[in-house]
């Protein structure tokens, strides 16, 4: 079987939406959950475009809300495939909000969604490889490998049956906690 490859650019997707009062919280800012929902939609669209299949969200990494989004701002989300594995893809998403009166644009969020391609019966299926055409694309691919490695080690460490609290007591010093085990 010949392996297929696609460029990063061939799967990139952008969406823009005007933020309305119905998307806001009591403080007049747009709900983080609403923003996550939009991000999940664009991650799905980008991953499905790359894989040419239905995709599901496997994980969401590094969701940092850098700036609040205000009612009336135009939010633009840009997505691209940063990494591909056998059946999974990491979709990088950049969120910007523009004040349409002043033209001021602010970076509100960057996040990484791991998506898995599925067939019609829900079984994970292989995805096309990725053609890296710029140094920035290579950097994003390598950063995704680094995040995957960190995530895998964290999962192994804290799910291990040989977890020893004493190994972490020094690390807990200085935090506003009281251990009552």
């Amino acid at each position: 079987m010949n392996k297929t490859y696609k460029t990063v650019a061939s799967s990139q997707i952008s969406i823009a939406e005007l933020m309305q009062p119905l998307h806001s919280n009591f403080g007049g800012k747009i709900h983080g959950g609403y923003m996550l929902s939009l991000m999940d939609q664009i991650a799905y669209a980008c991953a499905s475009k790359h894989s040419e299949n239905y995709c599901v969200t496997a994980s969401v990494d590094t969701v940092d809300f850098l700036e609040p989004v205000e009612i009336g701002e135009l939010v633009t989300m840009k997505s691209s495939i940063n990494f591909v594995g056998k059946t999974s893809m990491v979709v990088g998403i950049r969120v910007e909000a523009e004040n349409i009166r002043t033209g001021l644009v602010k970076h509100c969020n960057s996040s990484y969604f791991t998506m898995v391609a599925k067939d019609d019966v829900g079984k994970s299926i292989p995805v096309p490889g990725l053609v890296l055409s710029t140094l920035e694309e290579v950097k994003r691919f390598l950063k995704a490998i680094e995040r995957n490695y960190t995530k895998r080690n964290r999962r192994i460490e804290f799910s291990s049956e040989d977890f020893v609290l004493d190994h972490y007591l020094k690390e807990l010093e200085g935090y506003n906690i009281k251990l009552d085990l």
Side-chain angles (χ1 to χ4, degrees):
M1 177 178 132
N2 289 337
K3 177 87 171 147
T4 61
Y5 293 85
K6 288 187 169 184
T7 63
V8 171
S10 69
S11 301
Q12 289 176 327
I13 301 225
S14 294
I15 60 171
E17 184 172 325
L18 187 64
M19 294 296 106
Q20 300 177 37
L22 67 108
H23 304 131
S24 69
N25 59 28
F26 291 111
K29 311 298 184 207
I30 302 305
H31 277 291
Y34 182 72
M35 298 302 297
L36 285 169
S37 174
L38 291 176
M39 293 167 73
D40 192 49
Q41 289 175 42
I42 195 170
Y44 170 82
C46 184
S48 294
K49 188 173 181 184
H50 181 80
S51 68
E52 299 177 6
N53 282 286
Y54 173 73
C55 295
V56 297
T57 306
S59 71
V60 180
D61 295 325
T62 317
V63 180
D64 293 322
F65 294 96
L66 306 172
E67 295 283 340
V69 177
E70 308 286 339
I71 295 169
E73 289 184 324
L74 181 65
V75 168
T76 302
M77 295 188 181
K78 302 171 186 174
S79 66
S80 65
I81 302 294
N82 288 359
F83 173 87
V84 294
K86 182 179 175 191
T87 63
S88 66
M89 299 150 282
V90 174
V91 178
I93 302 169
R94 181 179 174 92
V95 179
E96 296 175 339
E98 179 181 357
N99 181 313
I100 56 176
R101 285 201 214 138
T102 66
L104 178 68
V105 176
K106 59 187 176 185
H107 176 206
C108 298
N109 185 313
S110 288
S111 190
Y112 308 97
F113 280 59
T114 301
M115 308 297 288
V116 177
K118 299 288 187 173
D119 65 14
D120 292 337
V121 294
K123 184 178 178 214
S124 298
I125 56 173
V127 299
L130 195 60
V131 177
L132 303 176
S133 305
T134 68
L135 286 177
E136 185 64 26
E137 291 171 1
V138 172
K139 178 181 159 186
R140 289 177 180 165
F141 192 89
L142 291 169
K143 288 290 192 181
I145 291 171
E146 190 176 303
R147 279 191 308 278
N148 285 341
Y149 179 76
T150 301
K151 186 168 46 172
R152 185 175 23 253
N153 283 342
R154 187 176 58 241
R155 194 170 31 238
I156 290 168
E157 180 180 2
F158 285 103
S159 66
S160 172
E161 291 183 20
D162 61 350
F163 174 80
V164 180
L165 177 61
D166 290 343
H167 296 166
Y168 298 92
L169 290 177
K170 188 85 171 154
E171 207 171 313
L172 293 173
E173 289 178 9
Y175 286 93
N176 189 18
I177 64 167
K178 176 182 174 186
L179 288 178
D180 189 16
L181 305 175

